[in-house]
């Protein structure tokens, strides 16, 4: 399943497999830090995804402590995690076009293969379940 997700994202974005793996790790780490529902879904259904996210976090210096994780789920913390994710993707060699294709591609894979039921917008992708419920209710 991990190979399928890498292949899907690589095909959608034009990234090499190696760059795709790095980018996926960064995105999964950020979504995990945000408490986004897609993170737990992917971690549950894609063996190796949680390890990929953790390795990415260690490589990029992401916070790992309980207090830091709580702060990252506040409005200001959420913004910082999203900004850091973009910076990390840029440092990994992705350009604006690749980054803009990355998030919808990951969400598209999750929708097609894992039963994810949200849109592929950055705000949807990184938000907590309470925010998704508010959007779905509107």
């Amino acid at each position: 399943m991990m190979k399928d997700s890498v292949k899907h994202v690589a095909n959608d974005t034009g990234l090499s497999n190696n760059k795709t793996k790095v980018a996926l790790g960064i995105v999964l780490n950020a979504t995990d830090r945000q408490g986004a529902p897609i993170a737990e879904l992917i971690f549950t259904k894609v063996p190796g995804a949680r390890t990929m996210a953790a390795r990415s976090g260690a490589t990029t210096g992401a916070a790992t402590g309980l207090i830091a994780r709580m702060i990252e789920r506040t409005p200001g913390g959420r913004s910082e995690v999203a900004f850091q994710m973009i910076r990390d993707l840029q440092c990994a060699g992705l350009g604006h076009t690749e980054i803009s294709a990355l998030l919808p591609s990951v969400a598209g894979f999750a929708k097609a293969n894992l039963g994810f039921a949200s849109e592929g917008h950055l705000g949807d992708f990184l938000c907590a379940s309470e925010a998704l419920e508010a959007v779905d209710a509107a």
Side-chain angles (χ1 to χ4, degrees), residues 20-30 33 48-64 69 84-85 88-89 92:
T20 299
K21 289 175 187 176
V22 170
L24 278 173
I26 291 168
V27 169
L28 291 174
N29 181 266
R33 291 165 53 203
R50 188 178 301 273
T51 301
M52 176 186 275
R55 282 189 187 135
S56 176
T59 300
T60 61
T64 57
R69 290 292 173 107
Q84 186 64 51
M85 179 187 72
D88 291 340
L89 290 168

Side-chain angles (χ1 to χ4, degrees), residues 69-120:
R69 290 292 173 107
M70 290 172 58
I71 292 168
E72 289 176 338
R73 293 181 183 189
T74 66
R78 288 184 194 284
S79 294
E80 180 54 33
V81 170
F83 293 142
Q84 186 64 51
M85 179 187 72
I86 300 300
R87 285 190 299 267
D88 291 340
L89 290 168
Q90 289 172 333
C91 287
L94 278 72
H96 297 294
T97 302
E98 294 161 326
I99 292 170
S100 67
L102 179 64
L103 297 176
S105 178
V106 174
F109 177 82
K111 285 171 107 175
N113 298 286
L114 308 176
F116 184 58
S118 184
E119 298 300 318

